[in-house]
Amino acid sequence: MGIYEELQARGLIAQVTDEEGIRELVNNGNAVFYIGFDPTADSLHVGHFMALCLMKRLQEAGNKPIALIGGGTGYIGDPSGRSDMRSMMTPEQIQHNCDCFKKQMSKFIDFSEGKALMVNNADWLLGLNYVEVLREVGPHFSVNRMLAAECYKQRMEKGLSFLEFNYMIMQAYDFYALFQKYGCNLQFGGDDQWSNMLAGTELIRRKLGKDAGAMTITLLLNSEGKKMGKTQSGAVWLDENKTTPFEFYQYWRNVADADVLKCIRMLTFLPLEEIDKMDSWEGAQLNTAKEILAYELTKLVHGEEEAKKAQESARALFTQGNASEMPTTELEEADFEDGGIDILTMLVKADLVPSKSEARRAVQQGGVSVDGEKVNDIKAVYTKDVLADEGVILKKGKKNFRRIIVK
C-alpha cells in the first residue's frame, strides 16, 4: 500500500483535482507540499493536529513538507468560516507566534538538513507593489467567481471589507511564490479553503502555462480537523502551559463513542491492520480504544513519560478517586467566608461552570460530587481543614473535574 492509499484508508482525503497525478507524486516521494498556518495565537491546538500528522506521514514516505506561516496574511485575517472580521496583529505578535509554532511543529516534522522548510509569506507579500499586483495578478481573477465562493458568501450579509476580499488573491499568490521559489507542487487544506486553493492552482497555470501547472495539484482534506480542539472552556492547545498533558489526555479520553475509532484511524500512527481489528469493538472495549487514542496522541505531543503519567493519573481518578497530575484550583484566603466556601462558589472558582446559577442547576440535577460523594445540598459548605493537605476532587458530570486545594 502506497502512502496515498493509506491516506484514503485512514479517511483523510475528501477531494482532489488530479487523483492519478497525486497518487504518482506522493507514492514516489516527489511531492514538495505545503500547508498554511495563520499565526493568530502563540500555540497550535488540536484543530491543527490532522495537518501536522499528515505532514509527518508524507515526510516519512519521502516527500518534503513546507510549513507556511501566514505572517503576511496575518495582517489581514482569513474570513473563511467566520461571520466577523479578525482583529489585526502587530508585527511583534506575529513573529512571536511564528517562533512558537516552529518549536511545536518540530515534534512532528524533521527540519534538519533541508528535509522540511518553514517559511513566512511576509517575505514576499509585504514587499509587493500594489500597482504591480493589479497589473500582473488582478487580470487572472474574476470578481463574479470570487463572490460565488462559499467563504465570501457567508460574510456578505454582515459586510465583507475590501481588506478581507483580497485574502483569496494573497493565498493564491502564496502557492505561486512557493512554486517558483521552492518547487512546491502540491497544497493541502480544509474544506473552507477550497476556493482559495483552486485560485492558486489556476494562477500558476495562467502565469506559467499549462505545462507548469500540470504539476500543481490541489488536494482537499475532509473537514474533521475543524471540529476538533474545542471544549466549553475554549481550545485544547499543544502548549503544555496552556493545556497540561493530563488535560490533553483527558480531552481525547472523553471523545464520543462514535468518534473514537475514526480518530484512531486518522490521527494515530498505529498500523491499519491493528485498527481494523477494533472496528467490531463495542461497549467497554470502546473505553479501551479511548485510552489507546489518548495515550498515543499525548505521547506524540508531550512524550512517552508524560503520556504514561497522564494515563496513570486518569486511571487513578476513576478507580481510586485520586490523581496527582489532574488540573488543580488553588483557593486563597479571600475565597473563604467564616472559614468555609460553599459548593456553588467552589464550582465557579474551579471554572467548571460560568455562573452560580449554572452551579445551582448542576447540583440540583445530581451532577456534582466531591471525593466521589454526590452533593445534593446547594448550601453545602467545605472548610479549609477539609481542603487541606491533598484537597478534594470536585467533579461536574462525568468528564469535568478539578482538584481543589488551599493555597
Side-chain angles (χ1 to χ4, degrees):
M1 179 186 293
I3 184 61
Y4 183 79
E5 288 76 21
E6 181 178 347
L7 296 181
Q8 286 183 311
R10 290 183 180 275
L12 291 167
I13 297 176
Q15 294 185 59
V16 298
T17 55
D18 182 348
E19 185 168 49
E20 289 305 314
I22 291 175
R23 178 181 285 109
E24 181 178 354
L25 196 67
V26 300
N27 282 350
N28 292 324
N30 293 326
V32 180
F33 67 96
Y34 94 89
I35 297 180
F37 299 84
D38 277 334
T40 51
D42 59 1
S43 173
L44 298 167
H45 56 72
V46 300
H48 298 113
F49 216 97
M50 186 180 295
L52 295 171
C53 291
L54 176 72
M55 296 174 86
K56 179 178 174 66
R57 292 185 206 281
L58 287 167
Q59 186 181 50
E60 290 179 349
N63 300 286
K64 184 174 181 177
I66 298 176
L68 177 66
I69 305 301
T73 42
Y75 280 83
I76 292 181
D78 181 5
S80 300
R82 296 176 59 88
S83 59
D84 60 345
M85 181 174 171
R86 283 178 176 161
S87 58
M88 288 179 278
M89 297 181 293
T90 66
E92 292 76 20
Q93 287 175 316
I94 293 172
Q95 185 57 53
H96 172 71
N97 294 350
C98 290
D99 294 340
C100 293
F101 278 17
K102 186 165 187 179
K103 182 179 178 181
Q104 292 178 345
M105 287 178 178
S106 295
K107 296 180 179 180
F108 296 82
I109 306 165
D110 182 2
F111 287 97
S112 68
E113 301 175 356
K115 295 175 183 176
L117 298 174
M118 182 173 182
V119 298
N120 189 331
N121 65 10
D123 293 345
W124 53 83
L125 290 180
L126 298 187
L128 289 175
N129 179 282
Y130 184 63
V131 174
E132 181 182 347
V133 172
L134 291 178
R135 286 176 56 86
E136 299 298 322
V137 180
H140 302 299
F141 285 83
S142 163
V143 172
N144 290 344
R145 287 180 61 185
M146 292 174 71
L147 290 175
E150 191 63 32
C151 61
Y152 289 130
K153 287 168 64 176
Q154 295 174 2
R155 292 278 287 112
M156 290 301 290
E157 291 186 7
K158 290 193 175 183
L160 176 70
S161 73
F162 184 70
L163 183 68
E164 295 170 284
F165 189 61
N166 276 270
Y167 195 91
M168 180 184 290
I169 297 176
M170 296 174 74
Q171 184 168 335
Y173 195 89
D174 282 343
F175 197 14
Y176 173 65
L178 289 169
F179 180 87
Q180 289 191 300
K181 290 175 178 289
Y182 306 106
C184 181
N185 51 26
L186 181 63
Q187 58 178 333
F188 289 81
D191 291 356
D192 60 350
Q193 296 292 315
W194 183 238
S195 298
N196 293 350
M197 293 162 67
L198 290 179
T201 302
E202 186 65 20
L203 177 61
I204 293 175
R205 289 175 176 169
R206 287 176 176 269
K207 291 285 290 180
L208 303 177
K210 292 184 178 179
D211 289 341
M215 292 301 296
T216 61
I217 304 166
T218 307
L219 181 147
L220 176 67
L221 288 175
N222 64 26
S223 59
E224 293 298 327
K226 298 294 181 181
K227 301 175 185 177
M228 299 175 184
K230 295 293 183 181
T231 66
Q232 290 181 345
S233 60
V236 178
W237 303 99
L238 304 193
D239 184 345
E240 64 181 10
N241 295 314
K242 291 177 175 288
T243 299
T244 68
F246 179 81
E247 291 171 316
F248 186 85
Y249 179 96
Q250 283 299 117
Y251 171 79
W252 296 109
R253 176 63 181 79
N254 292 325
V255 299
D257 288 356
D259 293 332
V260 59
L261 293 180
K262 179 169 58 178
C263 289
I264 288 176
R265 195 175 297 276
M266 286 182 166
L267 300 175
T268 75
F269 287 77
L270 296 175
L272 283 168
E273 296 81 4
E274 183 178 337
I275 299 172
D276 289 341
K277 295 177 182 177
M278 302 179 190
D279 285 339
S280 60
W281 287 11
E282 56 185 20
Q285 289 177 306
L286 291 179
N287 287 327
T288 300
K290 292 178 184 181
E291 282 198 339
I292 292 172
L293 173 68
Y295 179 82
E296 290 295 325
L297 298 190
T298 305
K299 181 175 69 172
L300 190 61
V301 174
H302 296 294
E304 188 170 10
E305 183 179 351
E306 289 296 337
K308 287 180 179 178
K309 288 167 59 178
Q311 186 176 67
E312 290 169 0
S313 292
R315 287 174 175 174
L317 171 67
F318 292 106
T319 60
Q320 304 169 10
N322 184 28
S324 61
E325 300 297 324
M326 76 170 60
T328 299
T329 296
E330 295 184 348
L331 298 178
E332 299 180 348
E333 185 67 32
D335 296 322
F336 292 88
E337 184 175 345
D338 297 327
I341 183 171
D342 65 85
I343 186 65
L344 303 187
T345 301
M346 196 155 65
L347 283 164
V348 174
K349 290 288 183 181
D351 289 327
L352 293 177
V353 293
S355 65
K356 284 193 175 182
S357 60
E358 289 284 340
R360 183 180 295 105
R361 183 157 43 248
V363 172
Q364 291 172 337
Q365 292 175 348
V368 176
S369 67
V370 173
D371 279 347
E373 295 291 330
K374 183 180 291 187
V375 179
N376 297 310
D377 183 3
I378 61 172
K379 296 182 180 179
V381 174
Y382 299 85
T383 66
K384 284 190 289 186
D385 291 338
V386 172
L387 301 177
D389 297 327
E390 294 185 357
V392 299
I393 297 173
L394 176 64
K395 292 181 65 177
K396 172 183 170 290
K398 296 180 179 180
K399 302 179 180 180
N400 302 300
F401 46 85
R402 288 290 190 279
R403 178 188 297 281
I404 309 298
I405 62 175
V406 180
K407 190 172 182 178

